[in-house]
C-alpha cells in the first residue's frame, strides 16, 4: 500500500499532468502522440519469464547496497517477492523500447538489472548492445539465468557495487544513446551516477530516471537533475522522468498523462 508521501506526490502529479492538447512544442506533441501515449501488449516470451519469476519460491540472500526494500528488511527473500516488488511495470518497459526504436539507439546503459526482465525489453531492438549493472550478486545470478534462457547475446552484465563498477567500466564503453537509471534510490548516489554518466551522453541521448517520486531523496535528485545545464527538455510521467540533451530544444519541463494498459 502506498504511503502518505506517495499519495501526496501522485495527487500533485494528477493535478499537473496534461495531454497533447496542452502541448505547443511540435517535438513534444509528436513524441507524446506517436511514442509515449501508445497502448501496446507485452512481448509474450518476456512476459512468460516474468510470470515464472513471480511463481518462483526459491529463497536467495540479498545484500542491499541502496535505499533497501520498502517491503521487508530480511536478507533472505523469495525470488517471487522480489519480482513482485522490483520488476519494471510492463507498460513502462514497452515505453522504453519505443523510445529506443524512436531514436534508433545502438548503445544502452542500464543501472539496476534486477532479474533482467526490463533489460530484455531494452535489448529487443536489433543491432543494440545493452550494458547493465547490478550490485547484488544473488540477483545478478538470477538475471544471468534469465539472459541465457532468453538467448540474449547482446546483453553484458556488470556485477558488483555500482558505486565502484560504474566509473571503472564506463571507460571501455561507447557513447550511450539510451540510459536507464534504476539503482540505489537515494539522493547522493543518484547524483553521483548521473555525473559519471554525463561524459557518455551526446546531444541525441535520452536518459530515463526511475522512481522519481518514490521518496523525498529521489524527488530532490530529480529536481536537481532536470535543472542541470545540459538538460534541455524533461518529461515527468510520475513513475519515471525522461531527459533530453539536444541544445536545439527549448528549455522546458512538462508533466504528462500516461495511459494505463487495459
Amino acid at each position: 500500500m502506498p504511503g502518505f508521501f506517495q499519495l501526496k506526490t501522485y495527487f500533485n502529479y494528477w493535478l499537473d499532468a496534461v495531454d497533447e492538447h496542452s502541448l505547443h512544442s511540435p517535438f513534444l506533441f509528436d513524441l507524446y502522440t506517436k511514442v509515449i501515449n501508445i497502448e501496446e501488449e507485452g512481448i509474450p516470451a518476456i512476459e512468460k519469464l516474468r510470470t515464472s519469476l513471480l511463481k518462483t519460491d526459491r529463497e536467495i540472500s540479498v545484500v542491499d547496497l541502496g535505499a533497501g526494500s520498502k517491503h521487508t528488511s530480511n536478507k533472505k527473500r523469495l525470488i517471487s517477492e522480489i519480482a513482485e516488488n522490483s520488476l519494471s511495470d510492463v507498460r513502462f518497459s514497452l515505453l522504453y523500447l519505443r523510445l529506443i526504436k524512436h531514436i534508433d539507439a545502438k548503445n544502452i546503459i542500464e543501472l539496476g538489472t534486477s532479474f533482467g526482465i526490463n533489460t530484455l525489453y531494452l535489448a529487443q531492438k536489433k543491432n543494440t548492445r545493452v550494458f547493465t549493472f547490478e550490485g547484488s550478486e544473488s540477483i545478478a545470478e538470477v538475471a544471468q539465468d534469465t539472459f541465457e534462457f532468453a538467448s540474449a547475446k547482446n546483453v553484458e552484465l556488470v556485477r558488483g557495487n555500482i558505486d565502484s563498477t560504474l566509473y571503472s567500466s564506463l571507460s571501455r564503453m561507447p557513447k550511450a544513446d539510451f540510459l536507464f537509471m534504476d539503482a540505489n534510490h537515494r539522493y547522493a548516489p543518484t547524483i553521483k551516477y548521473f555525473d559519471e554518466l554525463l561524459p557518455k551522453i551526446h546531444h541525441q541521448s535520452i536518459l530515463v530516471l526511475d522512481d522519481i517520486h518514490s521518496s523525498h531523496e529521489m524527488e530532490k535528485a530529480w529536481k536537481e537533475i532536470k535543472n542541470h545545464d545540459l538538460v534541455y527538455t524533461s518529461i515527468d510521467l510520475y513513475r519515471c522522468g525522461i531527459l533530453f540533451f539536444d541544445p536545439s530544444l527549448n528549455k522546458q519541463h512538462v508533466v504528462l498523462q500516461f495511459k494505463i494498459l487495459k
Side-chain angles (χ1 to χ4, degrees):
M1 179 181 295
F4 175 75
F5 181 78
Q6 282 73 37
L7 292 173
K8 182 188 74 171
T9 55
Y10 186 79
F11 180 69
N12 291 335
Y13 163 80
W14 179 78
L15 288 176
D16 293 338
V18 300
D19 62 14
E20 66 270 22
H21 301 295
S22 299
L23 295 176
H24 304 295
S25 162
F27 169 78
L28 286 173
F29 181 87
D30 286 347
L31 189 75
Y32 185 67
T33 57
K34 297 177 181 178
V35 181
I36 294 177
N37 208 34
I38 303 297
E39 191 167 324
E40 285 186 300
E41 297 296 330
I43 297 172
I46 300 178
E47 291 310 306
K48 284 183 180 178
L49 287 172
R50 184 196 300 271
T51 300
S52 176
L53 289 167
L54 288 168
K55 293 181 178 179
T56 301
D57 287 333
R58 179 161 62 90
E59 198 173 58
I60 60 175
S61 296
V62 178
V63 177
D64 278 319
L65 299 173
S69 171
K70 295 179 181 178
H71 306 279
T72 179
S73 58
N74 293 335
K75 302 301 182 185
K76 293 274 191 180
R77 301 178 199 169
L78 296 176
I79 288 177
S80 57
E81 293 175 350
I82 299 172
E84 183 177 356
N85 295 317
S86 69
L87 294 183
S88 290
D89 189 306
V90 60
R91 67 191 178 114
F92 282 93
S93 292
L94 286 166
L95 168 62
Y96 308 148
L97 176 55
R98 291 196 298 272
L99 288 169
I100 286 166
K101 290 179 176 178
H102 180 67
I103 63 172
D104 192 23
K106 300 292 193 303
N107 296 299
I108 298 164
I109 293 175
E110 177 187 42
L111 306 188
T113 310
S114 187
F115 291 144
I117 296 300
N118 188 67
T119 316
L120 291 179
Y121 274 94
L122 301 183
Q124 281 300 293
K125 180 180 168 293
K126 291 183 179 180
N127 302 318
T128 58
R129 189 173 183 188
V130 181
F131 301 92
T132 183
F133 292 75
E134 175 54 49
S136 170
E137 180 59 31
S138 58
I139 289 178
E141 286 289 345
V142 178
Q144 189 62 54
D145 290 343
T146 300
F147 301 148
E148 291 176 2
F149 189 83
S151 299
K153 301 186 184 303
N154 60 334
V155 174
E156 179 180 332
L157 175 59
V158 181
R159 307 177 189 223
N161 190 334
I162 299 174
D163 287 354
S164 304
T165 60
L166 181 60
Y167 184 80
S168 61
S169 300
L170 285 176
S171 61
R172 63 179 177 80
M173 296 178 183
K175 291 275 189 177
D177 307 301
F178 185 87
L179 306 95
F180 180 66
M181 293 177 60
D182 183 23
N184 202 333
H185 295 159
R186 294 179 296 160
Y187 168 78
T190 300
I191 297 299
K192 176 179 182 290
Y193 299 160
F194 176 75
D195 288 340
E196 290 179 355
L197 288 171
L198 276 179
K200 292 300 176 181
I201 289 172
H202 56 79
H203 288 170
Q204 302 306 314
S205 297
I206 292 177
L207 186 148
V208 176
L209 180 60
D210 195 49
D211 284 337
I212 58 175
H213 298 293
S214 62
S215 67
H216 290 285
E217 287 199 62
M218 285 304 294
E219 273 209 337
K220 181 181 177 183
W222 166 243
K223 289 176 181 177
E224 183 170 323
I225 289 172
K226 76 178 183 181
N227 289 316
H228 192 279
D229 288 343
L230 293 179
V231 174
Y232 286 87
T233 293
S234 61
I235 296 173
D236 183 339
L237 297 179
Y238 185 71
R239 168 65 187 263
C240 70
I242 308 173
L243 304 170
F244 301 87
F245 303 86
D246 188 347
S248 69
L249 299 173
N250 293 325
K251 281 277 188 179
Q252 56 188 318
H253 172 70
V254 294
V255 182
L256 295 179
Q257 297 173 8
F258 188 47
K259 184 184 295 181
I260 298 176
L261 282 172
K262 296 178 181 178

